[in-house]
Amino acid sequence: MRYDLHLHTCLSPCADRDMTPATVAGLAKLAGAQLIAVTDHNSALNLPAVEKACRGYGLRLLPGLEVTTAEEVHLLCYFKTVEAALDYGRDLYAALPALPCDPAIWGEQWVMDEEDRVLAKVDKLLTAACAWPLEEAAARCRALGGEPVPAHADAESYSVFAMLGMLPAEAGFRAVELRRPELAAEYEQRGLLPAGLEVMASSDAHFLAAVGQRLGGLAPDSVLRRLL
C-alpha cells in the first residue's frame, strides 16, 4: 500500500494557503498514493474535510496530527478515527501557549470544508510548543488508541536527534520517520535508534509540488495496520 503519511494543509501556518484539503487529497491520488495522513501542526480541525475529500478520490485516510512537544520535538500522532484525533486535538490546543497567530507573518490558519470553503480561522499560533513533554504526548496518543511516531527524527531541527540526541528507548516507540531511511542501520550502530524499529518516510509536504513526492510502502506487519 503506497502512502504519504505526513502532509499539511493550510491550517498549518507554515504551509502554503493553496494546500487546501481537497487539493492535497487530489494531488496525493495523482501521485499514486493509496493511503494518506494529513498531520497539521497541533490541530486536527481540517480532518473532517480531508476525510470527505478522500472518499471522493478513493483514498484511505489515516487521521493524524503533528505535535510540537515541550522539548520542541515534532511527534506524529496517528489515530483510528477522525473523532479520536479531534479529541486529542482539543486537549492539545488547551496545552498550547496563548500566542496569537500574526497573519502578517504566518498568514491565516484556515479550517475548511471538503469544497475548500473557509469555515473558521484558528487564533493561537499552531507552531508553538505545547506544555506536554514527549513521553506525555505519546502516552496521551496511546490512551486514545493511537500510535505515536517521532517525525523526521534525523532532521537538523524539531527532531529527537537534534533536541534530545537520540530516540529515548523508554518512550516505547515502535516506529520512526526518517528523512534518510537508508541510514537507519548506521543510526542504530551509533546508538541513536533502538534496534528493530519500523522506519517510515513521507513527504512532509507544506507546498503543492511536494505532495506525494516521497511515497512509502505500508508492509503487512506495519504497526500502523491496526489503525486501518
Coordinates of all heavy atoms in Angstrom, one line a residue, residues 44 47 51 63-65 77-92 140-147 227:
A44 N -6.2 19.0 14.6 CA -6.9 18.0 13.7 C -8.1 18.6 13.0 O -8.9 17.9 12.4 CB -7.3 16.8 14.5
L47 N -9.3 17.6 9.5 CA -9.5 16.2 9.2 C -10.9 15.9 8.7 O -11.1 15.0 7.8 CB -9.1 15.3 10.3 CG -7.6 15.3 10.6 CD1 -7.4 14.3 11.8 CD2 -6.8 14.8 9.4
E51 N -11.3 13.9 5.3 CA -11.9 12.6 5.2 C -12.9 12.5 4.1 O -13.0 11.5 3.3 CB -12.6 12.3 6.6 CG -13.2 10.9 6.7 CD -13.8 10.6 8.0 OE1 -14.4 11.5 8.6 OE2 -13.5 9.5 8.5
P63 N -6.1 9.2 10.1 CA -6.2 10.5 10.7 C -5.0 10.8 11.6 O -4.5 9.9 12.3 CB -7.5 10.4 11.6 CG -8.2 9.3 10.9 CD -7.2 8.3 10.4
G64 N -4.5 12.0 11.6 CA -3.3 12.3 12.4 C -3.1 13.8 12.6 O -3.9 14.6 12.2
L65 N -2.1 14.1 13.4 CA -1.6 15.5 13.6 C -0.2 15.4 14.0 O 0.3 14.4 14.4 CB -2.5 16.3 14.6 CG -2.9 15.6 15.9 CD1 -1.7 15.7 16.9 CD2 -4.1 16.3 16.5
C77 N 1.2 11.8 15.5 CA 0.2 11.0 16.3 C -0.9 10.6 15.3 O -1.6 11.4 14.7 CB -0.4 11.8 17.4 SG 0.8 12.1 18.7
Y78 N -1.0 9.2 15.1 CA -2.0 8.7 14.2 C -3.1 8.0 15.0 O -2.8 7.4 16.1 CB -1.3 7.6 13.3 CG -0.2 8.2 12.4 CD1 1.1 7.8 12.6 CD2 -0.5 9.1 11.4 CE1 2.1 8.3 11.8 CE2 0.5 9.6 10.6 CZ 1.8 9.2 10.8 OH 2.8 9.7 10.0
F79 N -4.3 8.0 14.5 CA -5.5 7.5 15.2 C -6.3 6.7 14.2 O -6.3 6.8 13.0 CB -6.3 8.7 15.8 CG -5.5 9.5 16.8 CD1 -4.8 10.6 16.4 CD2 -5.5 9.1 18.1 CE1 -4.1 11.4 17.3 CE2 -4.8 9.9 19.0 CZ -4.1 11.0 18.6
K80 N -7.2 5.9 14.8 CA -8.1 5.0 14.0 C -9.2 5.8 13.4 O -9.7 5.5 12.3 CB -8.6 3.9 14.9 CG -9.4 2.8 14.2 CD -9.7 1.7 15.1 CE -10.4 0.5 14.3 NZ -9.5 -0.1 13.3
T81 N -9.7 6.9 14.1 CA -10.8 7.7 13.7 C -10.5 9.2 13.7 O -9.7 9.6 14.5 CB -12.1 7.4 14.5 OG1 -11.8 7.9 15.8 CG2 -12.4 5.9 14.5
V82 N -11.2 9.9 12.9 CA -11.1 11.4 13.0 C -11.6 11.9 14.3 O -11.0 12.8 14.9 CB -12.0 12.0 11.8 CG1 -12.1 13.5 12.0 CG2 -11.3 11.7 10.5
E83 N -12.6 11.2 14.9 CA -13.1 11.7 16.2 C -12.1 11.6 17.3 O -11.9 12.5 18.1 CB -14.3 10.8 16.6 CG -15.6 11.1 15.7 CD -15.5 10.6 14.3 OE1 -14.7 9.6 14.1 OE2 -16.2 11.1 13.4
A84 N -11.3 10.5 17.3 CA -10.2 10.3 18.3 C -9.1 11.4 18.1 O -8.6 12.0 19.1 CB -9.6 8.9 18.2
A85 N -8.8 11.7 16.8 CA -7.8 12.8 16.6 C -8.4 14.1 17.0 O -7.6 14.9 17.6 CB -7.5 12.8 15.1
L86 N -9.6 14.4 16.8 CA -10.2 15.6 17.3 C -10.2 15.7 18.8 O -10.0 16.8 19.4 CB -11.6 15.8 16.7 CG -11.8 16.1 15.2 CD1 -13.2 15.9 14.8 CD2 -11.2 17.4 14.9
D87 N -10.5 14.6 19.5 CA -10.5 14.6 20.9 C -9.1 15.0 21.4 O -8.9 15.8 22.3 CB -10.9 13.2 21.5 CG -12.4 13.0 21.4 OD1 -13.1 14.0 21.1 OD2 -12.8 11.8 21.5
Y88 N -8.1 14.3 20.8 CA -6.7 14.6 21.2 C -6.4 16.1 20.9 O -5.7 16.8 21.7 CB -5.8 13.7 20.4 CG -4.3 13.8 20.8 CD1 -3.7 12.9 21.7 CD2 -3.4 14.7 20.2 CE1 -2.4 12.9 22.0 CE2 -2.1 14.8 20.5 CZ -1.6 13.9 21.4 OH -0.2 13.9 21.8
G89 N -6.8 16.6 19.7 CA -6.5 17.9 19.3 C -7.1 19.0 20.3 O -6.5 20.0 20.5
R90 N -8.3 18.7 20.8 CA -8.9 19.6 21.8 C -8.1 19.8 23.0 O -7.8 20.9 23.5 CB -10.3 19.2 22.1 CG -11.4 19.6 21.1 CD -12.8 19.3 21.6 NE -13.1 17.9 21.6 CZ -13.6 17.2 20.6 NH1 -13.9 17.9 19.5 NH2 -13.9 15.9 20.7
D91 N -7.6 18.7 23.6 CA -6.7 18.8 24.8 C -5.4 19.4 24.4 O -4.8 20.2 25.2 CB -6.5 17.4 25.4 CG -7.7 16.8 26.0 OD1 -8.7 17.6 26.3 OD2 -7.8 15.6 26.1
L92 N -4.9 19.1 23.2 CA -3.6 19.7 22.8 C -3.7 21.2 22.7 O -2.8 22.0 23.1 CB -3.2 19.1 21.5 CG -1.9 19.6 20.8 CD1 -0.7 19.5 21.8 CD2 -1.6 18.8 19.5
R140 N -0.6 10.1 25.8 CA -1.9 10.6 25.6 C -2.4 10.1 24.2 O -3.6 9.7 24.1 CB -2.0 12.1 25.6 CG -1.9 12.7 27.0 CD -1.8 14.2 26.9 NE -1.8 14.9 28.2 CZ -2.9 15.4 28.8 NH1 -4.1 15.2 28.2 NH2 -2.8 16.0 30.0
C141 N -1.6 10.0 23.3 CA -1.9 9.4 22.0 C -2.3 7.9 22.1 O -3.4 7.5 21.6 CB -0.8 9.5 21.0 SG -1.0 8.7 19.4
R142 N -1.5 7.2 22.8 CA -1.8 5.7 23.0 C -3.1 5.5 23.8 O -3.8 4.6 23.6 CB -0.6 5.1 23.8 CG 0.6 5.0 22.9 CD 1.7 4.2 23.6 NE 3.0 4.2 22.9 CZ 4.0 4.9 23.3 NH1 4.0 5.6 24.4 NH2 5.1 4.8 22.5
A143 N -3.4 6.4 24.8 CA -4.6 6.3 25.6 C -5.9 6.4 24.8 O -6.9 5.9 25.2 CB -4.6 7.4 26.7
L144 N -5.8 7.1 23.6 CA -6.9 7.2 22.7 C -6.8 6.1 21.6 O -7.5 6.2 20.6 CB -7.0 8.6 22.1 CG -7.4 9.7 23.1 CD1 -7.2 11.1 22.4 CD2 -8.9 9.5 23.5
G145 N -6.0 5.1 21.8 CA -5.9 4.0 20.8 C -5.0 4.4 19.6 O -4.9 3.6 18.6
G146 N -4.2 5.5 19.7 CA -3.3 5.9 18.6 C -1.9 5.3 18.7 O -1.6 4.6 19.6
E147 N -1.2 5.7 17.7 CA 0.2 5.3 17.5 C 1.1 6.5 17.4 O 1.0 7.2 16.3 CB 0.4 4.4 16.4 CG 1.8 3.7 16.3 CD 2.0 2.7 17.3 OE1 1.1 1.9 17.6 OE2 3.1 2.6 17.9
L227 N -4.6 0.4 12.8 CA -5.4 1.6 12.8 C -6.3 1.7 11.5 O -7.2 2.6 11.4 CB -4.5 2.9 12.9 CG -3.7 3.0 14.2 CD1 -2.8 4.2 14.1 CD2 -4.5 3.0 15.4

